mmCIF file of all heavy atoms in Angstrom:
data_model
loop_
_atom_site.group_PDB
_atom_site.id
_atom_site.type_symbol
_atom_site.label_atom_id
_atom_site.label_comp_id
_atom_site.label_asym_id
_atom_site.label_seq_id
_atom_site.Cartn_x
_atom_site.Cartn_y
_atom_site.Cartn_z
ATOM 1 N N ARG A 1015 29.783 -118.155 59.756
ATOM 2 C CA ARG A 1015 30.679 -118.839 58.840
ATOM 3 C C ARG A 1015 32.172 -118.654 59.248
ATOM 4 O O ARG A 1015 32.945 -118.289 58.351
ATOM 5 C CB ARG A 1015 30.475 -118.341 57.435
ATOM 6 C CG ARG A 1015 29.149 -118.679 56.958
ATOM 7 C CD ARG A 1015 28.978 -118.387 55.475
ATOM 8 N NE ARG A 1015 27.736 -118.859 55.015
ATOM 9 C CZ ARG A 1015 27.257 -118.710 53.779
ATOM 10 N NH1 ARG A 1015 27.971 -117.990 52.904
ATOM 11 N NH2 ARG A 1015 26.065 -119.175 53.390
ATOM 12 N N TRP A 1016 32.460 -118.719 60.518
ATOM 13 C CA TRP A 1016 33.851 -118.805 60.898
ATOM 14 C C TRP A 1016 34.319 -120.249 61.031
ATOM 15 O O TRP A 1016 33.462 -121.173 61.168
ATOM 16 C CB TRP A 1016 34.037 -118.112 62.190
ATOM 17 C CG TRP A 1016 33.881 -116.547 62.122
ATOM 18 C CD1 TRP A 1016 34.535 -115.740 61.210
ATOM 19 C CD2 TRP A 1016 33.101 -115.670 62.927
ATOM 20 N NE1 TRP A 1016 34.143 -114.438 61.459
ATOM 21 C CE2 TRP A 1016 33.304 -114.405 62.544
ATOM 22 C CE3 TRP A 1016 32.291 -115.963 64.029
ATOM 23 C CZ2 TRP A 1016 32.649 -113.256 63.069
ATOM 24 C CZ3 TRP A 1016 31.699 -114.839 64.553
ATOM 25 C CH2 TRP A 1016 31.778 -113.541 64.155
ATOM 26 N N CYS A 1017 35.561 -120.469 61.000
ATOM 27 C CA CYS A 1017 36.081 -121.825 61.212
ATOM 28 C C CYS A 1017 35.633 -122.243 62.612
ATOM 29 O O CYS A 1017 35.713 -121.529 63.587
ATOM 30 C CB CYS A 1017 37.587 -121.845 61.177
ATOM 31 S SG CYS A 1017 38.242 -121.200 59.637
ATOM 32 N N GLY A 1019 36.063 -123.367 66.096
ATOM 33 C CA GLY A 1019 37.156 -123.068 67.019
ATOM 34 C C GLY A 1019 37.724 -121.700 67.019
ATOM 35 O O GLY A 1019 38.621 -121.323 67.766
ATOM 36 N N CYS A 1020 37.307 -120.937 66.008
ATOM 37 C CA CYS A 1020 37.780 -119.523 65.893
ATOM 38 C C CYS A 1020 37.401 -118.720 67.145
ATOM 39 O O CYS A 1020 36.275 -118.778 67.599
ATOM 40 C CB CYS A 1020 37.228 -118.911 64.650
ATOM 41 S SG CYS A 1020 37.731 -117.166 64.449
ATOM 42 N N GLY A 1021 38.336 -117.831 67.539
ATOM 43 C CA GLY A 1021 38.071 -116.942 68.716
ATOM 44 C C GLY A 1021 36.916 -116.000 68.431
ATOM 45 O O GLY A 1021 36.409 -115.417 69.409
ATOM 46 N N ASP A 1022 36.640 -115.706 67.155
ATOM 47 C CA ASP A 1022 35.529 -114.812 66.854
ATOM 48 C C ASP A 1022 34.200 -115.182 67.488
ATOM 49 O O ASP A 1022 33.354 -114.375 67.841
ATOM 50 C CB ASP A 1022 35.378 -114.728 65.364
ATOM 51 C CG ASP A 1022 36.593 -114.015 64.647
ATOM 52 O OD1 ASP A 1022 37.428 -113.500 65.384
ATOM 53 O OD2 ASP A 1022 36.548 -113.947 63.447
ATOM 54 N N CYS A 1051 37.943 -111.866 58.284
ATOM 55 C CA CYS A 1051 37.134 -112.799 58.918
ATOM 56 C C CYS A 1051 36.279 -112.076 60.067
ATOM 57 O O CYS A 1051 35.050 -112.187 60.138
ATOM 58 C CB CYS A 1051 37.927 -113.890 59.622
ATOM 59 S SG CYS A 1051 38.783 -114.958 58.494
ATOM 60 N N ASN A 1121 44.420 -111.016 65.723
ATOM 61 C CA ASN A 1121 44.942 -112.452 65.655
ATOM 62 C C ASN A 1121 46.340 -112.480 65.101
ATOM 63 O O ASN A 1121 46.812 -113.615 64.813
ATOM 64 C CB ASN A 1121 43.953 -113.329 64.951
ATOM 65 C CG ASN A 1121 43.638 -112.787 63.487
ATOM 66 O OD1 ASN A 1121 44.329 -111.932 63.065
ATOM 67 N ND2 ASN A 1121 42.649 -113.322 62.857
ATOM 68 N N GLY A 1125 43.567 -113.604 58.283
ATOM 69 C CA GLY A 1125 42.761 -114.797 58.255
ATOM 70 C C GLY A 1125 42.144 -115.053 56.963
ATOM 71 O O GLY A 1125 42.427 -116.012 56.308
ATOM 72 N N LEU A 1126 41.357 -114.081 56.548
ATOM 73 C CA LEU A 1126 40.513 -114.284 55.378
ATOM 74 C C LEU A 1126 41.305 -114.619 54.085
ATOM 75 O O LEU A 1126 40.858 -115.371 53.252
ATOM 76 C CB LEU A 1126 39.581 -113.086 55.131
ATOM 77 C CG LEU A 1126 38.535 -113.262 54.094
ATOM 78 C CD1 LEU A 1126 37.470 -114.240 54.610
ATOM 79 C CD2 LEU A 1126 37.816 -111.977 53.671
ATOM 80 N N GLN A 1198 42.788 -112.399 69.764
ATOM 81 C CA GLN A 1198 41.788 -113.310 69.234
ATOM 82 C C GLN A 1198 42.537 -114.476 68.560
ATOM 83 O O GLN A 1198 43.380 -114.246 67.732
ATOM 84 C CB GLN A 1198 40.852 -112.696 68.234
ATOM 85 C CG GLN A 1198 39.895 -113.604 67.484
ATOM 86 C CD GLN A 1198 40.244 -113.661 65.986
ATOM 87 O OE1 GLN A 1198 40.693 -112.615 65.387
ATOM 88 N NE2 GLN A 1198 40.080 -114.804 65.372
ATOM 89 N N ASN A 1199 42.237 -115.694 68.908
ATOM 90 C CA ASN A 1199 42.946 -116.770 68.347
ATOM 91 C C ASN A 1199 42.377 -117.203 66.996
ATOM 92 O O ASN A 1199 41.236 -117.376 66.817
ATOM 93 C CB ASN A 1199 42.872 -118.003 69.298
ATOM 94 C CG ASN A 1199 43.815 -119.071 68.942
ATOM 95 O OD1 ASN A 1199 44.999 -118.780 68.528
ATOM 96 N ND2 ASN A 1199 43.385 -120.326 69.011
ATOM 97 N N CYS A 1200 43.295 -117.259 66.022
ATOM 98 C CA CYS A 1200 42.961 -117.780 64.730
ATOM 99 C C CYS A 1200 43.513 -119.192 64.698
ATOM 100 O O CYS A 1200 44.726 -119.413 64.564
ATOM 101 C CB CYS A 1200 43.596 -116.932 63.555
ATOM 102 S SG CYS A 1200 43.474 -117.785 61.996
ATOM 103 N N ASN A 1201 42.644 -120.129 64.988
ATOM 104 C CA ASN A 1201 43.194 -121.559 65.145
ATOM 105 C C ASN A 1201 43.600 -122.155 63.851
ATOM 106 O O ASN A 1201 44.219 -123.181 63.808
ATOM 107 C CB ASN A 1201 42.159 -122.425 65.884
ATOM 108 C CG ASN A 1201 40.803 -122.428 65.200
ATOM 109 O OD1 ASN A 1201 40.304 -121.363 64.840
ATOM 110 N ND2 ASN A 1201 40.327 -123.552 64.893
ATOM 111 N N ILE A 1202 43.329 -121.527 62.675
ATOM 112 C CA ILE A 1202 43.756 -122.146 61.424
ATOM 113 C C ILE A 1202 45.173 -121.631 61.022
ATOM 114 O O ILE A 1202 46.031 -122.396 60.648
ATOM 115 C CB ILE A 1202 42.722 -121.750 60.308
ATOM 116 C CG1 ILE A 1202 41.383 -122.286 60.769
ATOM 117 C CG2 ILE A 1202 43.139 -122.357 59.014
ATOM 118 C CD1 ILE A 1202 41.281 -123.818 60.793
ATOM 119 N N PHE A 1203 45.358 -120.292 61.154
ATOM 120 C CA PHE A 1203 46.599 -119.760 60.565
ATOM 121 C C PHE A 1203 47.599 -119.263 61.586
ATOM 122 O O PHE A 1203 48.724 -118.936 61.267
ATOM 123 C CB PHE A 1203 46.307 -118.699 59.574
ATOM 124 C CG PHE A 1203 45.549 -119.178 58.365
ATOM 125 C CD1 PHE A 1203 44.252 -118.705 58.156
ATOM 126 C CD2 PHE A 1203 46.167 -120.056 57.466
ATOM 127 C CE1 PHE A 1203 43.529 -119.215 57.048
ATOM 128 C CE2 PHE A 1203 45.453 -120.511 56.363
ATOM 129 C CZ PHE A 1203 44.091 -120.073 56.161
ATOM 130 N N ILE C 251 36.857 -119.089 54.768
ATOM 131 C CA ILE C 251 37.985 -119.906 55.065
ATOM 132 C C ILE C 251 37.455 -121.319 55.339
ATOM 133 O O ILE C 251 37.831 -122.282 54.736
ATOM 134 C CB ILE C 251 38.732 -119.423 56.321
ATOM 135 C CG1 ILE C 251 39.222 -117.969 56.049
ATOM 136 C CG2 ILE C 251 39.928 -120.343 56.641
ATOM 137 C CD1 ILE C 251 40.046 -117.837 54.850
ATOM 138 N N ARG C 252 36.533 -121.384 56.212
ATOM 139 C CA ARG C 252 35.893 -122.649 56.520
ATOM 140 C C ARG C 252 34.505 -122.403 56.990
ATOM 141 O O ARG C 252 34.268 -122.216 58.219
ATOM 142 C CB ARG C 252 36.717 -123.417 57.666
ATOM 143 C CG ARG C 252 37.090 -124.811 57.250
ATOM 144 C CD ARG C 252 38.258 -125.342 57.964
ATOM 145 N NE ARG C 252 39.505 -125.217 57.232
ATOM 146 C CZ ARG C 252 40.683 -125.658 57.647
ATOM 147 N NH1 ARG C 252 40.766 -126.275 58.750
ATOM 148 N NH2 ARG C 252 41.753 -125.595 56.860
HETATM 149 S S1 SF4 E 2392 40.795 -118.164 59.327
HETATM 150 FE FE1 SF4 E 2392 41.272 -117.751 61.533
HETATM 151 S S2 SF4 E 2392 40.326 -115.865 62.080
HETATM 152 FE FE2 SF4 E 2392 39.381 -116.612 60.101
HETATM 153 S S3 SF4 E 2392 37.530 -117.688 60.729
HETATM 154 FE FE3 SF4 E 2392 39.221 -119.169 60.515
HETATM 155 S S4 SF4 E 2392 40.072 -119.335 62.624
HETATM 156 FE FE4 SF4 E 2392 38.861 -117.473 62.550
#
Side-chain angles (χ1 to χ4, degrees):
Chain A
R1015 296 187 174 178
W1016 288 309
C1017 305
C1020 176
D1022 291 354
C1051 294
N1121 55 13
L1126 192 70
Q1198 173 246 327
N1199 192 40
C1200 167
N1201 56 310
I1202 301 294
F1203 297 113
Chain C
I251 301 306
R252 232 158 262 186

